[in-house]
């Protein structure tokens, strides 16, 4: 099954949760497409902009790498990370501004067509 995860936040705890969920789904032999949009794209910049407002976010950033689970999911070969083309334009960014974990820039329509009848999870 294909699983789409829409990440609309750059809050460290939510980025970590998206990674954990990606890793769980790939461990269950599902394909995952993590679609970062709006503030979520800021987490995937070469110099990530992560919010640390929640107490859990402060602990995560102090004690572990928020991207470790995303990297593990990607290493499975069953996960890809895409960033929203609209948000990329909105923040005047381009492909070179993103970290190497990002596979592509695409629109929400392409993302939804790729997921098809799979499930979509949103994290805001």
């Amino acid at each position: 099954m294909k699983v789409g995860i829409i990440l609309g936040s750059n809050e460290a705890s939510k980025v970590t949760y998206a990674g954990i969920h990606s890793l769980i789904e790939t461990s269950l032999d599902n394909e995952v497409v993590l679609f970062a949009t709006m503030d979520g794209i800021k987490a995937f910049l070469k110099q990530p902009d992560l919010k640390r407002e929640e107490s859990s976010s402060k602990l995560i950033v102090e004690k572990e790498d928020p991207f470790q689970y995303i990297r593990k999911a990607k290493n499975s070969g069953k996960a890809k990370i895409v960033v929203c083309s609209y948000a990329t334009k909105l923040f005047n960014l381009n492909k070179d501004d993103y970290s190497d974990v990002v596979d592509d820039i695409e629109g929400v329509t392409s993302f939804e067509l790729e997921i098809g009848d799979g499930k979509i999870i949103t994290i805001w």
Side-chain angles (χ1 to χ4, degrees):
M1 168 174 45
K2 281 212 175 183
V3 177
I5 299 173
I6 300 173
L7 176 64
S9 172
N10 60 332
E11 180 74 41
S13 62
K14 293 176 183 178
V15 172
T16 301
Y17 177 72
I20 291 169
H21 205 73
S22 296
L23 183 57
I24 290 168
E25 291 295 343
T26 58
S27 297
L28 294 172
D29 208 29
N30 293 320
E31 291 180 50
V32 173
V33 180
L34 194 155
F35 181 79
T37 187
M38 304 316 284
D39 284 343
I41 69 170
K42 296 175 183 177
F44 295 97
L45 296 171
K46 285 182 181 172
Q47 297 292 316
D49 176 12
L50 294 175
K51 288 184 185 177
R52 297 168 180 90
E53 295 171 3
E54 296 178 10
S55 61
S56 58
S57 289
K58 290 176 186 173
L59 287 173
I60 288 167
V61 172
E62 290 171 7
K63 295 186 176 193
E64 62 181 58
D65 174 9
F67 299 98
Q68 67 181 318
Y69 304 106
I70 290 171
R71 285 190 198 96
K72 287 179 183 177
K74 285 207 43 136
N75 286 340
S76 75
K78 295 177 183 164
K80 79 176 190 177
I81 311 298
V82 296
V83 292
C84 176
S85 59
Y86 174 78
T88 296
K89 288 177 189 174
L90 185 67
F91 292 111
N92 296 315
L93 300 169
N94 61 55
K95 179 79 165 126
D96 294 333
D97 295 312
Y98 293 110
S99 75
D100 60 356
V101 74
V102 173
D103 295 298
D104 206 358
I105 298 172
E106 65 182 45
V108 68
T109 303
S110 297
F111 164 74
E112 290 203 16
L113 286 171
E114 183 173 359
I115 301 306
D117 292 334
K119 71 178 172 182
I120 294 179
I121 299 159
T122 58
I123 303 169
W124 290 91

